[in-house]
Every structure is written in C-alpha cells, then in structure tokens.
C-alpha cells in the first residue's frame, strides 16, 4: 500500500524480543526494563498480523530483536512465515553470538539472508563495547559462508576507534566478498557521551589513506544504504545515514515491536497497540483496517536532528 506521502510500504520489521545477550554501549545500557513474557506477542499473534500485512501489500519481512535468536522457536516462526502465500523475503538481523548453533534450523526454515552486526575485530575492544565474545561471531561468519547463505555485515562506527576498525572490517568483508554497511550512530539519550562517524567522515578518512572511492548506483537489498566501491576491495560498501543523508522520503518500512506496537517510524511516538486489540477479539477485517490507517498516516520523517530519542527497548524493538 501507499502512505499519505505516496511512498510504497512493502517492508515490515518484526521484533521478536526486547532482550539481548549483549549490552552494546551505543544502544542498550547495562540495566534496562524488560517486557514481561505475557506481554510479548505470541507467535500465532505475530502470524495473524503478518497475514493482514500481506493483504496490504507488505511482502518483505525482517526479523529482529533485541537479539531474535534468544527467543525460543525463532526458526519455527520464520518457517511459518515463509509458508504464507505472497511472502517474497524473510531476513534476519542478529549480533551473531548464537548464530552458529542455530544456523542449521534457520536454513531449514528457509531464511533468505542474514545481517550480522560487527563493529570491531579487536577482541578486547569487542568485549568492552558489547560485553560479548568476538570468537562466536567469527565462527558464525565461517559457517554462513560454508552454507552458502547470503549475508551482510553491519557496523556502527565510533570515533573512539577510528580508522583501525574500519580498515580491518573492510578486509574481512573483502575476504568473504559480502556487503559491509556503516550505520550512522542513532542519537539516543543513553549514548549521548559517544561520538559516531558519518559516512562523509569515513570516506574522507579512507581517501586520506590513499584509497580511491567510486559511487555504486546498484542496490544491494531492501535498505536505504547508498553504496560505494572502495579501492581494490571486492565488495560494495554501504552507508546508512539517518542524519547526514536523511532517507525518509523513500522509506518503505514500518515496525512491529515485541510488545505489539505497530509503529510507522523507527522512533515515532505514534503507533497502535495491536496486541490489546488482538486479545480483545478484534475481527480480521477491523485488524486490516486499523493497520491500513496507521501505515497510511506514516510521518514524513524522523526528528533526530531536533532531539535524541528516548531509550526504551520495549517500545523500540530492534
């Protein structure tokens, strides 16, 4: 369907859980409130919402968290979603720490591709930044390649580690010949003490290091990244910049949080609590109409440049 600004909305991000086994300093403080288990959408409720979404023209689904692989039955849910008529693509975003052990089930479920978040190849800095172990993520990348599952690497670049991490991640992505995307730091009230790097700053650093950069007009996936070819590296390098290259005018997605809020924008204060409507016995026709209304009312854009979003994992999702 199309929203009020004539943008085609065909992509739904689904947060399976607000919980994560890492505590990345830029997105989740050490202590945060979690949604009680009975307030999380049940899988049958999620599938019912997805059936309505398909009727509205949404064909692509991204499974996120928190960390989605923490939730028992994640691969079974993906399998159920893949069986629905009209579904074109189901992809997964994960921190990779649990991926190796669950990869066979995800492959059997039919997952189309996987995005792995990885911000550094320095094991000590990875532990300090995330509270996790780098080795489990690197093992998962090896197994993804061996299994032939398409994947991308996502990095949130921070000024504190600069060019060193960027060059090492470029080399890793080159080795696997997979897209690497640099995602600009989202301004949240919990990361106000951190400084991110914009795409322009990263490209400038790479040019200063003697690398030649060339824009790449080809699209690699469904996201808003602008891609470049860098030096002799084999893979495309993407930049997702919600602040310095605002892409709201072409945004094609809406978000469903683990607690059942359908949100038309990543950090929008607007949305509708589908969970309560489902548990109050809403009909399929009324559910469809409700979702259509909130998607149509999708705002023209975020307001990150005005005010940092409040951190609330239960409302944001992954």
């Amino acid at each position: 369907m199309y929203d009020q600004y004539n943008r085609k909305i065909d992509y739904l991000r689904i947060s399976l859980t607000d919980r994560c086994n890492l505590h990345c300093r830029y997105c989740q403080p050490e202590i945060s409130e979690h949604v009680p288990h009975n307030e999380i959408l049940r899988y049958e409720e999620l599938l019912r919402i997805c059936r309505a979404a398909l009727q509205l023209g949404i064909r692509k689904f991204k499974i996120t968290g928190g960390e989605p692989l923490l939730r028992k039955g994640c691969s079974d849910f993906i399998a159920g979603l893949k069986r629905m008529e009209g579904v074109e693509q189901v992809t997964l975003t994960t921190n990779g720490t649990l991926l190796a052990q669950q990869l066979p089930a995800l492959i059997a479920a039919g997952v189309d591709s996987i995005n792995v978040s990885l911000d550094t190849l320095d094991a000590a800095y990875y532990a300090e930044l995330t509270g996790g172990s780098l080795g489990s993520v690197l093992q998962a990348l090896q197994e993804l390649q061996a299994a032939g599952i398409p994947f991308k690497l996502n990095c949130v670049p921070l000024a504190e580690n600069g060019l060193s991490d960027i060059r090492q991640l470029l080399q890793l992505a080159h080795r696997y010949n997979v897209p690497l995307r640099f995602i600009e730091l989202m301004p949240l009230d919990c990361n106000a003490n951190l400084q991110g790097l914009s795409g322009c700053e990263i490209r400038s650093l790479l040019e200063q290091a003697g690398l030649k950069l060339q824009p790449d007009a080809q699209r690699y996936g469904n996201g808003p990244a602008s891609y470049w070819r860098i030096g002799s590296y084999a893979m495309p390098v993407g930049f997702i910049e919600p602040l310095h290259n605002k892409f709201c005018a072409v945004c094609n997605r809406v978000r469903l949080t683990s607690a059942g809020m359908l949100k038309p924008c990543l950090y929008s204060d607007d949305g509708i609590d589908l969970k309560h409507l489902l548990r109050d016995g809403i009909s399929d026709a009324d559910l469809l109409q409700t979702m259509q209304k909130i998607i149509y009312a999708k705002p023209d854009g975020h307001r990150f440049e005005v005010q940092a979003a409040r951190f609330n994992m239960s409302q944001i999702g992954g």
Side-chain angles (χ1 to χ4, degrees), residues 26 114-121 137-138 141 150-158 162-184 199 202-203 206 211 213-214 216 218-221 223-231 233-241:
Y26 54 76
I114 295 176
N115 294 346
V116 180
S117 299
L118 181 59
D119 302 317
T120 180
L121 293 180
V137 184
L138 298 181
L141 298 184
F151 67 98
K152 300 184 182 76
L153 299 176
N154 288 343
C155 168
V156 177
L158 298 178
L163 188 60
S164 173
D165 276 338
I166 291 169
R167 291 295 296 264
Q168 290 182 33
L169 288 167
L170 285 169
Q171 292 164 9
L172 180 70
H174 174 79
R175 187 188 318 153
Y176 287 119
N177 193 16
V178 297
L180 169 64
R181 285 106 57 85
F182 292 107
I183 302 174
E184 188 174 32
I202 294 172
R203 293 190 292 271
L206 293 173
L211 294 173
L213 280 71
Q214 182 70 32
D216 184 348
Q218 185 172 337
R219 289 182 61 84
Y220 300 90
S226 60
Y227 282 93
W228 293 70
R229 293 287 173 170
I230 297 178
Y233 292 111
M235 74 294 168
V237 178
F239 296 88
I240 300 175
E241 304 174 84

Side-chain angles (χ1 to χ4, degrees), residues 19-199:
R19 298 168 191 264
C20 187
N21 58 331
L22 298 183
H23 296 282
C24 299
R25 287 195 286 122
Y26 54 76
C27 75
Q28 184 172 349
E30 276 295 322
I31 300 174
S32 61
E33 295 181 4
H34 293 299
V35 179
H37 182 72
N38 65 340
E39 294 298 326
I40 297 291
L41 282 173
R42 298 187 290 266
Y43 282 133
E44 59 267 26
E45 293 170 331
L46 284 167
L47 291 172
R48 187 178 174 194
I49 292 170
C50 290
R51 279 192 289 270
L54 285 164
Q55 293 183 64
L56 294 174
I58 291 174
R59 298 286 181 262
K60 301 163 188 173
F61 298 85
K62 171 74 73 180
I63 310 306
T64 72
E67 170 50 48
L69 297 182
L70 278 176
R71 183 165 176 183
K72 185 178 180 180
C74 174
S75 58
D76 291 334
F77 169 70
I78 290 174
L81 183 54
K82 284 285 292 184
R83 286 194 294 268
M84 287 188 178
E85 185 177 354
V87 171
E88 292 180 2
Q89 191 178 73
V90 179
T91 59
L92 176 79
T93 291
T94 173
N95 62 37
T97 57
L98 305 174
L99 182 56
Q101 64 197 64
Q102 297 194 37
L103 187 56
L106 291 168
I107 293 172
V111 69
D112 290 292
S113 67
I114 295 176
N115 294 346
V116 180
S117 299
L118 181 59
D119 302 317
T120 180
L121 293 180
D122 181 318
Y125 181 58
Y126 183 89
E128 189 270 329
L129 181 66
T130 71
S133 171
L134 178 63
S136 58
V137 184
L138 298 181
Q139 178 188 353
L141 298 184
Q142 294 175 1
E143 297 194 13
L144 278 169
Q145 186 186 49
I149 300 298
F151 67 98
K152 300 184 182 76
L153 299 176
N154 288 343
C155 168
V156 177
L158 298 178
E160 64 188 28
N161 224 34
L163 188 60
S164 173
D165 276 338
I166 291 169
R167 291 295 296 264
Q168 290 182 33
L169 288 167
L170 285 169
Q171 292 164 9
L172 180 70
H174 174 79
R175 187 188 318 153
Y176 287 119
N177 193 16
V178 297
L180 169 64
R181 285 106 57 85
F182 292 107
I183 302 174
E184 188 174 32
L185 180 68
M186 297 283 195
L188 303 173
D189 57 7
C190 69
N191 65 24
N193 63 327
L194 294 177
Q195 181 182 351
L197 291 173
S198 69

